[in-house]
Amino acid sequence: MLEPISKTEWDERKASHLLDRTGFGATPKDIRTSAQADPFQLVDELFSFQASKIPPLVPAWVNDPKNTVPIRPKKDPKLQNLPPEELKKALQAKRREEMIQIAQLRGWWIERMLTTPWPLQEKLTLFWHGHFATSVEKVKFPYAMYVQNQTFRRHAAGNWEEILLAVSKDPAMLLYLDNAKSFSGAPNENYARELMELFTLGEGHYTETDIQQSARAFTGWSIDPEEGTFLDRAFRHDRGMKTFMGETGNFDGSDIIRIILKQPQAARFIMKKLWTYFAYGNPEPELMDELAQTLTKNSMDFGPTLRTVFLSKAFYSDKAIRQQIKSPVQWLVGLSKMCDSPAPHFVIANQMLSQLGQSLFQPPNVKGWDGGLAWITEASLVDRYRFSDALFHGGNELKGFLGQVRKILQENQTPQSPAMTSPTMMGADMQMSPEVVINHLSQPTLDPDKVFAGMESLAGEAIFDDLSSRFLQNHIRPQDKARMLSEIPAGKTVAQMSHEERIHVILSVVNTPYFQLT
Amino acid sequence: MNPNVYTRRDFIRTGMLGAALTWSIPAFLLKTADSLHAASDGALTQQPTGKDSSILVILQLSGGNDGLNTVIPIGDDDYYKARPKIAIPAASALKISDTVGLHPAMTDLQTLYDLGNLAILQATGYPNPNRSHFRSMEIWHTASDSDRTEAYGWLGRYFDNACVGCDPTVGVALGHQAPEAFSSHHPAQGITIENIAQYRLPKDVEALYADHPEMMDSSDDSSSGSSIQSLSGGASHVGISPLDFLERVELDVEVSSKKIRDINATTKNQATYPAGKLAQDLSLVGRLIAGRLPTRVFYVSFGGFDTHANQAPTQNRLLGELSSALRAFVTDLQKQGNFNRTTILAFSEFGRRVKENGSGGTDHGSGAPLFVCGGGVKGGIYGALPSLEAKNLLNGDVRFSTDFRSVYATLLEKSLRVPSAPILGRNFPLLSFT
């Protein structure tokens, strides 16, 4: 089922599917260009980030050394002698600063997803974030979340063993699953269990003894409390013999990873998850076999394996195309992209994603986001509709998301406070009055005229056809098409419609079940 | 499309059995309600509706609450030996019997116990316990044996068996994601909501429904290509295409949103709730019950119990919040006169290891106490905590003595008054707490 597609069958439908699934949607122009291109070259270009030397732009606070180390109230000379009340205040201020840092980090990532020349790198980074789910709620150290995110990006289409090693030594993960606190004699099983259950093998492919033995092997992998970086504390490591999956030795974490990857289940497990993420759920048994063989044949390198996936017939089958529910991130970034528009201000984007159930750097638990139909509830569907409406209209609906910003502006008018409200995200706009800033931030980010650019003379069904190919790219049931058509003002061209009518026509296509599919 | 061809779903929507007809159902559907009546297919039990029917509130404590530090075996030396750092001293536990004390943060729960409204079911669990959060939670949600998987949730099967034809608000879950327990064969039973004040379709879409009543028809004549099954997790409707699923969710909103917003805006709680997300959720449930939403099952989750490290402050905060929120909820229901028809079940996916670990926490375990509270509940401690002597433990964990499916069966039979075997797959012994 992984045999390659033929170049002669390459068309707009397939090109749009490729761009959606390996990225975050595309403009009609991108789709047309890609449909003209050679799919094999196109897929090669998706992976060109692996050769790129361009250093990524990062949020300003990341480069400030005071933010790159964890806070230690009991050891910090500035904090340790403070009276309790003042210490509490200092810690609260620190926590607020961290909250802002994480908010900026989310905004930075969303911006990247929307504007990067390599959407696949971000799509894979998001995959790894969901796979090795780690939440700032417990880690409480934004810089570690940033470091982990860059690790995912660096290894985005890398080697499975290298990824697992990097993650096992990743400070945020060491904090999140408590391995930083695991030592000989009293191992903490949290990481060992999730490593096998959620990251590599899946339930039923290891024993409780395997967990206990591998937890011993991981003892000592910890973090330097002052630097916040990985530290192998040899004196905490359990040097005894361990028997793990039939092998015995004085194993450490890297041995455990090596032994796990020898299990045939290891390739199947991760390929099933990747296939589900990129193509469709419940892959057929014979497809699973082929996927696992492909990864094994490629020495556990995801790059060439995924290249095969994105060129396979199964990837473009009817089971795949327009049969996946967009994640909130896909929905929001894709909507901005399809409207040729910038991302909403990060405070607004973060609030929207949080309410839709996908707060970046804060997955609900170590299993990550369930995805699929679980993205949609009565509450979240309503919110998607409301949010697209708000992004076109701006105003009060968006102001509702800015309460926190207003509070900070009112309480904290100091120039050195972090640039939570800065439209440019990196600078500071604290000199402006709160009202001016809030009004600025609550401007609409989606503009109907950008959507309708070049279509001004269209009317009636031609408008529907254009919007449908921009936003839906799907077969629309006749009754649904009739309904959307009926929302287009009769006898008017786009040029003759009012601003509000244009928005209404776009929303009648965007606020539909169809637009939730990719 | 032929407007006279009504699907089973239209029939479900109109709720032929009375109560749901008072809803804001479009007139064209009301007109057909009578003719649809004849189309009723055989639900197991005719659904009792109306204001006096019983209500189940499920309170999920996610992460694996440490049962031994919640309901404390104050007379057991093995407990204190296994937990030199984090055991709760007998002197600080809230004593409810010679051998059992509650966590000191749970004074409000102690009050409920003293009032006789709280049953504590010791060492609840299931055979061959699974120590994965996700698998164990799935077992609790689907009521499966630990070596089997079930396609649907236990409450979803209750909806399938006893509530076909009901309004979608027969089940109301609060949160971002529908609980797997709600997963059912028949779609559109149970809704998942959050942020009630803004629970409505945009005016444009509402207007669409008004202009296009045929949208209320969501038959399965899918032309959207092949169906795929849901991905893991969450409530799912196996075999339904994503597009059909989305249309059903949209329809659920149209049918339920106005009523819920109205209740939320016009109904007041009869008790003062403490701060916190759990209290906020329970106060909303309190208002929805007071406003006579025809809901049989509410589902509320409260997380953070996965205390592998530095357990004491975290559990202290969580149990305090649980206890005070629950007390306020009970007071609210009592003053409304709805406590007698309400039963609250609080459970966690597993208890934690008897022996503490080196990080001031506890690792995943098995059997744990469970709470049932309600006007019809006979308070007391049910079942005994098995010996914690090392040789009696199951890989270091508390052996279960009460199967949680006996608790479900009892709630189904005695509170919701439906036969439990068709829902749980077989008969489980009923318990005497209600």
Side-chain angles (χ1 to χ4, degrees):
Chain A
M1 297 177 80
L2 287 180
E3 66 267 25
I5 48 165
S6 81
K7 285 186 194 181
T8 52
E9 287 167 21
W10 189 246
D11 56 13
E12 285 202 10
R13 179 177 148 89
K14 292 196 177 71
S16 126
H17 176 63
L18 177 70
L19 295 177
D20 280 344
R21 295 293 177 89
T22 62
F24 301 89
T27 60
K29 189 166 150 261
D30 293 336
I31 296 170
R32 276 194 300 274
T33 315
S34 300
Q36 301 301 320
D38 174 345
F40 291 79
Q41 272 178 21
L42 208 59
V43 168
D44 281 343
E45 280 160 27
L46 292 176
F47 289 92
S48 58
F49 61 86
Q50 289 178 301
S52 157
K53 294 277 185 285
I54 302 172
L57 194 67
V58 298
W61 65 264
V62 165
N63 293 322
D64 183 342
K66 85 173 161 57
N67 294 321
T68 65
V69 293
I71 178 170
R72 310 169 71 215
K74 285 179 192 149
K75 299 278 168 64
D76 186 327
K78 271 191 284 184
L79 295 176
Q80 67 189 156
N81 294 322
L82 287 179
E85 269 311 295
E86 280 179 48
L87 177 66
K88 202 173 151 195
K89 265 195 198 150
L91 291 177
Q92 273 171 356
K94 176 74 187 163
R95 255 191 294 277
R96 175 135 84 178
E97 206 175 313
E98 289 180 348
M99 190 190 81
I100 294 171
Q101 288 169 357
I102 273 291
Q104 289 185 334
L105 204 56
R106 291 181 176 128
W108 163 75
W109 194 8
I110 291 166
E111 183 72 24
R112 245 186 113 91
M113 292 179 199
L114 183 61
T115 58
T116 173
W118 302 291
L120 176 59
Q121 188 180 28
E122 300 310 314
K123 193 84 181 232
L124 279 163
T125 303
L126 184 59
F127 172 81
W128 295 121
H129 176 39
H131 184 71
F132 295 111
T134 304
S135 173
V136 70
E137 213 166 16
K138 177 164 175 181
V139 174
K140 291 189 173 68
F141 178 24
Y143 186 73
M145 299 305 293
Y146 165 77
V147 168
Q148 186 188 68
N149 190 258
Q150 291 290 33
T151 300
F152 292 151
R153 190 167 288 105
R154 195 166 54 250
H155 290 280
N159 176 274
W160 195 203
E161 185 166 352
E162 286 170 26
I163 294 173
L164 285 168
L165 254 182
V167 168
S168 300
K169 296 180 176 183
D170 170 68
M173 182 58 84
L174 288 163
L175 290 169
Y176 186 62
L177 290 183
D178 301 309
N179 208 73
K181 294 181 181 172
S182 186
F183 48 85
S184 177
N188 190 307
E189 293 174 7
N190 209 5
Y191 183 70
R193 177 184 302 277
E194 306 306 9
L195 174 67
M196 282 178 276
E197 180 189 334
L198 297 175
F199 302 159
T200 60
L201 294 173
E203 230 256 313
H205 296 278
Y206 53 85
T207 64
E208 286 293 317
T209 313
D210 289 329
I211 289 173
Q212 285 155 12
Q213 296 288 305
S214 57
R216 290 177 54 215
F218 277 103
T219 51
W221 283 15
S222 186
I223 63 169
D224 182 323
E226 281 169 43
E227 298 296 324
T229 49
F230 173 72
L231 179 66
D232 188 355
R233 295 172 188 255
F235 68 95
R236 280 193 178 185
H237 178 66
D238 181 336
R239 288 192 193 77
M241 300 298 269
K242 299 118 193 159
T243 298
F244 177 73
M245 298 197 163
E247 297 188 33
T248 302
N250 172 15
F251 297 140
D252 71 0
S254 52
D255 298 313
I256 297 298
I257 290 168
R258 184 177 44 77
I259 297 169
I260 286 175
L261 291 186
K262 280 196 219 167
Q263 316 299 314
Q265 169 66 11
R268 297 181 72 84
F269 180 82
I270 193 63
M271 286 316 296
K272 183 173 185 184
K273 194 144 176 199
L274 277 162
W275 182 265
T276 300
Y277 183 75
F278 283 109
Y280 56 82
N282 297 316
E284 300 82 343
E286 62 270 32
L287 176 59
M288 273 314 309
D289 292 341
E290 287 183 54
L291 287 166
Q293 283 158 14
T294 308
L295 182 65
T296 313
K297 200 179 67 203
N298 284 302
S299 318
M300 302 305 233
D301 280 332
F302 290 113
T305 308
L306 288 173
R307 189 180 179 280
T308 305
V309 164
F310 298 147
L311 289 167
S312 70
K313 284 189 173 158
F315 181 71
Y316 297 95
S317 72
D318 286 342
K319 276 180 99 167
I321 296 184
R322 302 288 150 207
Q323 293 293 326
Q324 194 179 60
I325 291 188
K326 287 174 185 168
S327 69
V329 167
Q330 186 85 13
W331 175 85
L332 182 63
V333 177
L335 179 62
S336 305
K337 199 158 202 163
M338 290 175 197
C339 290
D340 279 310
S341 294
H345 186 274
F346 68 94
V347 176
I348 291 169
N350 295 346
Q351 287 272 353
M352 287 185 170
L353 291 181
S354 162
Q355 238 168 283
L356 295 176
Q358 195 178 24
S359 205
L360 295 172
F361 301 103
Q362 201 170 352
N365 54 52
V366 61
K367 198 166 128 209
W369 295 283
D370 282 333
L373 300 192
W375 286 126
I376 298 296
T377 64
E378 284 71 15
S380 71
L381 186 64
V382 162
D383 284 345
R384 286 185 184 203
Y385 290 4
R386 282 177 41 232
F387 295 167
S388 45
D389 196 303
L391 290 171
F392 273 106
H393 284 108
N396 284 338
E397 183 78 41
L398 295 187
K399 283 183 187 171
F401 291 121
L402 296 166
Q404 236 176 356
V405 176
R406 186 188 298 274
K407 205 167 150 225
I408 287 174
L409 285 169
Q410 283 164 348
E411 286 173 6
N412 196 4
Q413 285 276 12
T414 53
Q416 71 270 25
S417 67
M420 175 96 166
T421 57
S422 161
T424 58
M425 206 167 88
M426 307 292 172
D429 300 317
M430 306 302 287
Q431 317 307 334
M432 294 186 243
S433 81
E435 259 345 280
V436 171
V437 177
I438 297 288
N439 280 336
H440 178 82
L441 296 181
S442 56
Q443 295 299 307
T445 56
L446 302 182
D447 177 358
D449 294 345
K450 283 193 181 159
V451 176
F452 283 125
M455 295 168 59
E456 289 80 0
S457 61
L458 298 185
E461 195 159 346
I463 297 178
F464 169 80
D465 289 342
D466 196 273
L467 291 177
S468 175
S469 72
R470 178 184 287 261
F471 291 112
L472 309 180
Q473 299 126 3
N474 202 346
H475 171 74
I476 311 297
R477 297 172 191 165
Q479 69 267 33
D480 297 328
K481 179 174 171 181
R483 196 180 305 140
M484 290 183 232
L485 264 176
S486 73
E487 299 304 307
I488 298 174
K492 282 190 187 175
T493 64
V494 169
Q496 289 163 331
M497 287 181 204
S498 69
H499 184 74
E500 191 50 45
E501 281 174 327
R502 289 176 203 177
I503 292 179
H504 178 78
V505 169
I506 294 170
L507 288 178
S508 71
V509 173
V510 166
N511 282 344
T512 57
Y514 289 94
F515 184 67
Q516 317 311 319
L517 297 173
T518 178
Chain B
M1 188 179 70
N2 179 354
N4 295 317
V5 177
Y6 284 93
T7 61
R8 170 193 173 73
R9 173 168 174 91
D10 294 319
F11 170 66
I12 290 169
R13 281 284 159 241
T14 58
M16 70 300 181
L17 289 166
L21 283 180
T22 59
W23 283 64
S24 55
I25 300 294
F28 85 100
L29 283 180
L30 275 176
K31 274 186 293 187
T32 60
D34 282 348
S35 59
L36 289 170
H37 209 136
S40 173
D41 65 356
L44 182 75
T45 309
Q46 291 292 295
Q47 169 60 11
T49 52
K51 61 188 169 61
D52 298 322
S53 52
S54 49
I55 295 170
L56 187 58
V57 179
I58 309 287
L59 181 48
Q60 171 179 311
L61 311 177
S62 312
N65 177 39
D66 179 25
L68 286 172
N69 275 18
T70 305
V71 179
I72 303 148
I74 49 177
D76 191 331
D77 287 344
D78 290 311
Y79 164 72
Y80 290 99
K81 267 186 242 159
R83 298 182 164 198
K85 289 208 185 98
I86 66 160
I88 311 269
S92 40
L94 308 171
K95 209 171 159 190
I96 55 173
S97 83
D98 288 344
T99 54
V100 178
L102 294 176
H103 187 285
M106 301 206 297
T107 46
D108 283 320
L109 205 73
Q110 186 185 26
T111 308
L112 292 177
Y113 184 86
D114 291 343
L115 292 171
N117 298 127
L118 179 72
I120 298 171
L121 279 57
Q122 289 281 31
T124 309
Y126 53 89
N128 306 312
N130 192 296
R131 289 169 185 79
S132 148
H133 290 294
F134 311 102
R135 178 61 190 139
S136 193
M137 197 54 104
E138 185 175 60
I139 289 167
W140 279 82
H141 277 238
T142 58
S144 71
D145 291 329
S146 75
D147 58 353
R148 290 195 50 204
T149 53
E150 292 282 348
Y152 305 115
W154 76 284
L155 296 167
R157 298 200 297 269
Y158 161 68
F159 299 146
D160 281 339
N161 272 289
C163 309
V164 171
C166 289
D167 188 273
T169 58
V170 65
V172 174
L174 303 186
H176 280 317
Q177 195 171 318
E180 191 169 6
F182 274 20
S183 164
S184 61
H185 178 69
H186 296 288
Q189 301 177 111
I191 62 169
T192 303
I193 55 176
E194 217 181 13
N195 194 8
I196 303 308
Q198 288 166 322
Y199 178 49
R200 70 181 304 166
L201 294 171
K203 288 197 180 64
D204 289 343
V205 184
E206 281 189 341
L208 262 181
Y209 273 92
D211 296 346
H212 297 274
E214 77 278 5
M215 281 172 77
M216 300 297 279
D217 171 46
S218 174
S219 53
D220 288 331
D221 58 343
S222 163
S223 52
S224 65
S226 59
S227 294
I228 56 166
Q229 301 194 343
S230 85
L231 307 180
S232 63
S236 65
H237 306 293
V238 176
I240 186 173
S241 84
L243 187 59
D244 287 335
F245 169 76
L246 283 155
E247 292 192 332
R248 294 196 149 129
V249 173
E250 190 183 89
L251 197 52
D252 284 346
V253 178
E254 176 59 17
V255 174
S256 65
S257 58
K258 186 173 185 309
K259 179 82 174 177
I260 286 181
R261 273 181 290 119
D262 286 351
I263 289 176
N264 189 47
T266 58
T267 314
K268 297 249 179 308
N269 290 112
Q270 309 270 336
T272 309
Y273 285 79
K277 180 75 171 72
L278 174 65
Q280 213 181 321
D281 282 352
L282 287 177
S283 78
L284 172 61
V285 173
R287 291 196 296 284
L288 294 178
I289 291 175
R292 303 287 175 193
L293 198 67
T295 304
R296 313 303 310 282
V297 183
F298 289 96
Y299 206 102
V300 175
S301 303
F302 182 48
F305 288 91
D306 193 21
T307 49
H308 284 278
N310 200 16
Q311 172 172 306
T314 304
Q315 206 195 17
N316 193 53
R317 173 174 58 79
L318 294 172
L319 292 180
E321 219 175 311
L322 168 67
S323 156
S324 58
L326 205 55
R327 172 84 194 282
F329 183 53
V330 167
T331 307
D332 193 1
L333 294 176
Q334 280 170 332
K335 290 196 179 158
Q336 292 173 16
N338 283 322
F339 189 49
N340 284 339
R341 66 184 185 114
T342 307
T343 311
I344 306 153
L345 165 71
F347 81 97
S348 198
E349 69 268 35
F350 45 61
R352 306 189 74 85
R353 191 74 38 88
V354 175
K355 189 173 172 354
E356 66 188 25
N357 66 21
S359 340
T362 45
D363 291 318
H364 301 182
S366 52
L370 169 156
F371 298 112
V372 186
C373 181
V377 169
K378 293 174 222 151
I381 301 171
Y382 293 81
L385 180 67
S387 154
L388 298 181
E389 219 180 314
K391 67 178 164 63
N392 289 324
L393 300 177
L394 179 71
N395 299 322
D397 296 333
V398 175
R399 279 177 195 278
F400 87 102
S401 55
T402 300
D403 193 309
F404 73 97
R405 291 165 296 184
S406 274
V407 182
Y408 288 178
T410 309
L411 293 170
L412 288 166
E413 300 262 353
K414 295 191 189 173
S415 299
L416 295 174
R417 299 188 197 98
V418 293
S420 61
I423 293 168
L424 299 176
R426 59 182 187 266
N427 281 308
F428 289 91
L430 298 187
L431 306 173
S432 56
F433 61 79
T434 182

